[in-house]
Amino acid sequence: MDDEPLSDWAERRDAKIGRLRAIPLVSGDGPKGSHLNPDAPRVIQRWNGCAWEPHGYAANLAEAQQLLHPRDEEPPTVPVLQPQPLQAGRGRHRKRGLGEGS
C-alpha cells in the first residue's frame, strides 16, 4: 500500500478549511437536494477542518447562492485577439500560383 506523506495530507486538509455549504431546512425525511424546495430557508455551514459548524442563514436558495458564490465587482478582462493577416505559404489550403511545378 502506498502511503502519502503526512505533509501532503495536511496541505489538502488545510486547503478545505473555511469552505461553505448550504443545507436546506426541511422537516422529516423530505428531499434535501439543493435544487428542491428553492423557497426553503438554508443554513450556511463552514468547514473548520474537523466538522461542519453553523456559520449563517439564508432565506432561500437564491440568497444562499449569493453568499456561497459572490460575484466579482469587475468583469474579468479578456485579451482582445488581433486579426492575423494571411501569410504567404504553400499549405494544402493554398492555391498554387502560375509557373509553379505540379
Side-chain angles (χ1 to χ4, degrees):
M1 183 168 148
D2 295 330
D3 290 334
E4 67 178 324
L6 186 58
S7 60
D8 291 348
W9 173 82
E11 271 184 46
R12 275 187 318 157
R13 183 200 60 196
D14 292 344
K16 295 177 184 178
I17 292 176
R19 186 171 290 177
L20 300 176
R21 73 176 183 181
I23 304 297
L25 292 174
V26 293
S27 61
D29 293 330
K32 296 187 189 299
S34 64
H35 64 289
L36 302 173
N37 300 323
D39 296 328
R42 267 56 177 172
V43 171
I44 308 298
Q45 296 179 332
R46 181 179 176 272
W47 181 250
N48 68 8
C50 294
W52 291 98
E53 60 187 10
H55 181 71
Y57 172 82
N60 55 31
L61 177 60
E63 188 177 318
Q65 288 177 338
Q66 288 177 351
L67 291 171
L68 297 178
H69 310 289
R71 293 181 183 230
D72 295 332
E73 295 298 321
E74 296 179 17
T77 58
V78 178
V80 178
L81 298 176
Q82 298 295 328
Q84 298 293 323
L86 293 176
Q87 303 290 324
R90 293 188 51 196
R92 292 176 50 172
H93 62 283
R94 306 217 185 257
K95 294 182 179 179
R96 293 181 181 232
L98 296 176
E100 290 185 25
S102 54

